[in-house]
Amino acid sequence: MTTTLIVIAVLVLFVLVVTVKSVLVIPQATAAVIERLGRYRTTAAPGLNILVPFFDRVRARIDLREQVVSFPPQPVITRDNLTVSIDTVVYFQVTDPRAAVYEISNYIVGVEQLATTTLRNLVGGMSLEETLTSRDQINNQLRGVLDEATGRWGIRVARVELKAVDPPPSIRDSMEKQMRADREKRAMILNAEGQREAAIKSAEGQKQAQILSAEGAKQAAILSAEAERQSAILRAQGERAARYLQAQGQAKAIEKVFAAIKAGKPTPEVLAYQYLQTLPQMAQGDANKVWLVPSDYGKALEGFAKMLGAPGEDGVFRYEPPVYEKPETSSPEQDDASVAEWFDTAPDPAVAEAVRAAEAVARKEVPGPLEQASVERGPERGTLGSSPAAREVGAGEPRSPHE
C-alpha cells in the first residue's frame, strides 16, 4: 500500500514537472530564443508558448523596447592636441533577437566600444571649437556609423547624443576669460551706442527748444512792435483830441471872460484900479525894467476911457457894452465831421483779434523732445522751418490791422 502511494506521488510530481516545462509565457515587448538540444529552434513570441519538455530550453530573453544606455566619459584628443572628456547617450532597439544572441556575445558592450572608437575618429579630425559647436554633426555621423555596424547584430540605433563635452580646466579658464572679454566688449559697445543715442536725442531736443524759443521770441517781438504801434497811434490820437479840446476850452474861456466884462460894464476907475494891480506883476523879475511917467499914465487912462466909454450926464466917460448874445454851445465832435472819429473810444477789432491770436499761441501745448523726434523720423519728415511746432507757431502770427 505504501509503495503504491509513493509511485502515485512520483507520477503526479512528474506530470507537474512536465506540464511546467511544456508551458512558456512571454510578456509583451519581450522575445525568447528557444533551443532544442543546443540548437536554435525558434523565437517565442509574446503570449503562451508550448515547449517539448527536457528537449527545448530558453537560451535568452530579449527586451524589444527602445533602450537608453549612457556610457561613462571617454577621453578624446582633438586635432589641436587637446584632451576633452565626452559623455554619450545611445538610443537603440533590438529588431532581431536571434542575431542579437548569436551574432555577438554582448551587444551593449559592442555598442559602447563601437561608439567610443567612432567618436574618437570623428573628434580627432576637429578642433576644440568645432567640437563644441558641431554637436549635431557629430551626433548624425555617430548614428549613421553605429546603425550600419549594428545592423548585422539585429540592432537599430535610433539616435546618439553627446551629453557633455568637458575641455581641460586650463582651457575652460581661457574660454571663460575670452567669453568675459567678449561680453565686456559687447557691453562697452552697447554703452557707447546708448550714449550716442542719448547725445543725439539731447541735441534734437535742444534744437527743437531753440527753434521754439526763436519762434516765441519772434512772436513776442511782433506782438510787442504791434502793441507799441497801436499804443503810439492811440496816444497820438488822444493828444490830438486833447489839444483840440484844450484849444476849444481856451476859446470858450476867453469868450466867457469878454462876455463877463461886457456884462459887468466896467468904469474907467475900475480899469485904472486893475491896471495899478497889474503893474507890480509886470515889474517882477530881474530882467524887467519898466519906468512909468505919471503924466503919461493919466493920459493913457483918459484915452482908454474915451475910446471904450461914452460920456454920461455928469460928464464922466463910462463903458457901454453892446448887447450880449449868448453863443450856442456845441460838443467838439459836432463842430466838424472830420474830427468826430477822434473821440471814438470803441476798441479796434483788429487789435482785439491780434490779442486773441497771441493768447491762443501762448496757451498751445508744446510737444516734448521725444514726441518731436518721433515726428521728424516719420515718413513726412521736413526741414526745421516746416516742423509741426514751427507751423503751429507760425499759424498764430498776428497781422497788422492795416495789412
Side-chain angles (χ1 to χ4, degrees), residues 34-41 52-57:
I34 307 299
E35 292 182 348
R36 177 172 295 176
L37 298 177
R39 187 175 181 181
Y40 171 77
R41 187 180 71 87
V52 177
F54 306 107
F55 291 95
D56 294 341
R57 73 180 184 93

mmCIF file of all heavy atoms in Angstrom, residues 34-41 52-57:
data_model
loop_
_atom_site.group_PDB
_atom_site.id
_atom_site.type_symbol
_atom_site.label_atom_id
_atom_site.label_comp_id
_atom_site.label_asym_id
_atom_site.label_seq_id
_atom_site.Cartn_x
_atom_site.Cartn_y
_atom_site.Cartn_z
ATOM 1 N N ILE A 34 14.523 30.125 -28.333
ATOM 2 C CA ILE A 34 14.326 28.737 -27.912
ATOM 3 C C ILE A 34 15.334 27.856 -28.649
ATOM 4 O O ILE A 34 15.480 27.938 -29.878
ATOM 5 C CB ILE A 34 12.891 28.270 -28.204
ATOM 6 C CG1 ILE A 34 11.881 29.266 -27.591
ATOM 7 C CG2 ILE A 34 12.659 26.876 -27.668
ATOM 8 C CD1 ILE A 34 11.991 29.401 -26.092
ATOM 9 N N GLU A 35 16.016 26.969 -27.896
ATOM 10 C CA GLU A 35 16.946 25.984 -28.463
ATOM 11 C C GLU A 35 16.442 24.579 -28.144
ATOM 12 O O GLU A 35 15.876 24.345 -27.066
ATOM 13 C CB GLU A 35 18.350 26.182 -27.868
ATOM 14 C CG GLU A 35 19.036 27.464 -28.287
ATOM 15 C CD GLU A 35 20.429 27.552 -27.694
ATOM 16 O OE1 GLU A 35 20.749 26.743 -26.801
ATOM 17 O OE2 GLU A 35 21.205 28.450 -28.113
ATOM 18 N N ARG A 36 16.629 23.684 -29.081
ATOM 19 C CA ARG A 36 16.292 22.262 -28.872
ATOM 20 C C ARG A 36 17.579 21.457 -28.998
ATOM 21 O O ARG A 36 18.193 21.428 -30.062
ATOM 22 C CB ARG A 36 15.270 21.792 -29.890
ATOM 23 C CG ARG A 36 14.935 20.317 -29.779
ATOM 24 C CD ARG A 36 13.772 19.936 -30.671
ATOM 25 N NE ARG A 36 12.526 20.607 -30.242
ATOM 26 C CZ ARG A 36 11.370 20.499 -30.898
ATOM 27 N NH1 ARG A 36 11.313 19.783 -32.011
ATOM 28 N NH2 ARG A 36 10.290 21.120 -30.441
ATOM 29 N N LEU A 37 17.944 20.859 -27.903
ATOM 30 C CA LEU A 37 19.150 20.046 -27.829
ATOM 31 C C LEU A 37 20.367 20.882 -28.254
ATOM 32 O O LEU A 37 21.246 20.440 -28.990
ATOM 33 C CB LEU A 37 19.027 18.783 -28.680
ATOM 34 C CG LEU A 37 17.903 17.809 -28.268
ATOM 35 C CD1 LEU A 37 17.834 16.639 -29.222
ATOM 36 C CD2 LEU A 37 18.094 17.354 -26.834
ATOM 37 N N GLY A 38 20.391 22.190 -27.789
ATOM 38 C CA GLY A 38 21.515 23.067 -28.031
ATOM 39 C C GLY A 38 21.544 23.747 -29.375
ATOM 40 O O GLY A 38 22.526 24.422 -29.703
ATOM 41 N N ARG A 39 20.477 23.581 -30.153
ATOM 42 C CA ARG A 39 20.433 24.200 -31.479
ATOM 43 C C ARG A 39 19.204 25.117 -31.556
ATOM 44 O O ARG A 39 18.162 24.824 -30.993
ATOM 45 C CB ARG A 39 20.346 23.117 -32.543
ATOM 46 C CG ARG A 39 20.463 23.632 -33.959
ATOM 47 C CD ARG A 39 20.491 22.488 -34.929
ATOM 48 N NE ARG A 39 20.637 22.965 -36.294
ATOM 49 C CZ ARG A 39 20.674 22.196 -37.363
ATOM 50 N NH1 ARG A 39 20.622 20.852 -37.217
ATOM 51 N NH2 ARG A 39 20.814 22.702 -38.552
ATOM 52 N N TYR A 40 19.415 26.260 -32.225
ATOM 53 C CA TYR A 40 18.317 27.224 -32.329
ATOM 54 C C TYR A 40 17.125 26.593 -33.019
ATOM 55 O O TYR A 40 17.252 25.984 -34.085
ATOM 56 C CB TYR A 40 18.766 28.474 -33.116
ATOM 57 C CG TYR A 40 17.641 29.420 -33.444
ATOM 58 C CD1 TYR A 40 17.123 30.279 -32.462
ATOM 59 C CD2 TYR A 40 17.089 29.463 -34.721
ATOM 60 C CE1 TYR A 40 16.091 31.165 -32.754
ATOM 61 C CE2 TYR A 40 16.060 30.343 -35.014
ATOM 62 C CZ TYR A 40 15.558 31.194 -34.025
ATOM 63 O OH TYR A 40 14.528 32.056 -34.322
ATOM 64 N N ARG A 41 15.944 26.733 -32.360
ATOM 65 C CA ARG A 41 14.737 26.190 -32.967
ATOM 66 C C ARG A 41 13.804 27.301 -33.426
ATOM 67 O O ARG A 41 13.394 27.317 -34.575
ATOM 68 C CB ARG A 41 14.008 25.274 -31.969
ATOM 69 C CG ARG A 41 12.799 24.520 -32.579
ATOM 70 C CD ARG A 41 12.112 23.625 -31.552
ATOM 71 N NE ARG A 41 11.391 24.403 -30.568
ATOM 72 C CZ ARG A 41 10.119 24.823 -30.728
ATOM 73 N NH1 ARG A 41 9.482 24.543 -31.846
ATOM 74 N NH2 ARG A 41 9.521 25.504 -29.781
ATOM 75 N N VAL A 52 8.717 21.412 -25.829
ATOM 76 C CA VAL A 52 8.931 19.963 -25.604
ATOM 77 C C VAL A 52 9.767 19.822 -24.343
ATOM 78 O O VAL A 52 10.912 20.293 -24.314
ATOM 79 C CB VAL A 52 9.622 19.304 -26.807
ATOM 80 C CG1 VAL A 52 9.897 17.843 -26.510
ATOM 81 C CG2 VAL A 52 8.797 19.485 -28.063
ATOM 82 N N PRO A 53 9.210 19.205 -23.319
ATOM 83 C CA PRO A 53 9.969 19.135 -22.057
ATOM 84 C C PRO A 53 11.263 18.349 -22.227
ATOM 85 O O PRO A 53 11.354 17.404 -23.012
ATOM 86 C CB PRO A 53 9.003 18.436 -21.102
ATOM 87 C CG PRO A 53 7.655 18.544 -21.737
ATOM 88 C CD PRO A 53 7.866 18.601 -23.196
ATOM 89 N N PHE A 54 12.274 18.817 -21.511
ATOM 90 C CA PHE A 54 13.596 18.208 -21.443
ATOM 91 C C PHE A 54 14.367 18.274 -22.763
ATOM 92 O O PHE A 54 15.506 17.856 -22.828
ATOM 93 C CB PHE A 54 13.506 16.747 -20.980
ATOM 94 C CG PHE A 54 12.756 16.599 -19.684
ATOM 95 C CD1 PHE A 54 11.473 16.057 -19.687
ATOM 96 C CD2 PHE A 54 13.327 16.994 -18.485
ATOM 97 C CE1 PHE A 54 10.776 15.904 -18.502
ATOM 98 C CE2 PHE A 54 12.619 16.827 -17.300
ATOM 99 C CZ PHE A 54 11.338 16.292 -17.283
ATOM 100 N N PHE A 55 13.726 18.824 -23.809
ATOM 101 C CA PHE A 55 14.423 18.974 -25.090
ATOM 102 C C PHE A 55 14.592 20.462 -25.470
ATOM 103 O O PHE A 55 15.619 20.833 -26.022
ATOM 104 C CB PHE A 55 13.662 18.238 -26.220
ATOM 105 C CG PHE A 55 13.699 16.754 -26.079
ATOM 106 C CD1 PHE A 55 12.660 16.063 -25.453
ATOM 107 C CD2 PHE A 55 14.781 16.029 -26.568
ATOM 108 C CE1 PHE A 55 12.702 14.703 -25.314
ATOM 109 C CE2 PHE A 55 14.810 14.655 -26.433
ATOM 110 C CZ PHE A 55 13.767 13.971 -25.797
ATOM 111 N N ASP A 56 13.544 21.239 -25.196
ATOM 112 C CA ASP A 56 13.585 22.674 -25.530
ATOM 113 C C ASP A 56 13.918 23.465 -24.263
ATOM 114 O O ASP A 56 13.425 23.135 -23.154
ATOM 115 C CB ASP A 56 12.230 23.159 -26.076
ATOM 116 C CG ASP A 56 11.915 22.499 -27.414
ATOM 117 O OD1 ASP A 56 12.847 21.992 -28.051
ATOM 118 O OD2 ASP A 56 10.725 22.529 -27.808
ATOM 119 N N ARG A 57 14.733 24.506 -24.507
ATOM 120 C CA ARG A 57 15.053 25.393 -23.384
ATOM 121 C C ARG A 57 15.179 26.830 -23.902
ATOM 122 O O ARG A 57 15.420 27.061 -25.073
ATOM 123 C CB ARG A 57 16.321 24.953 -22.690
ATOM 124 C CG ARG A 57 17.604 25.221 -23.465
ATOM 125 C CD ARG A 57 18.837 24.751 -22.730
ATOM 126 N NE ARG A 57 20.054 25.106 -23.441
ATOM 127 C CZ ARG A 57 20.743 26.220 -23.228
ATOM 128 N NH1 ARG A 57 20.336 27.081 -22.317
ATOM 129 N NH2 ARG A 57 21.863 26.450 -23.919
#
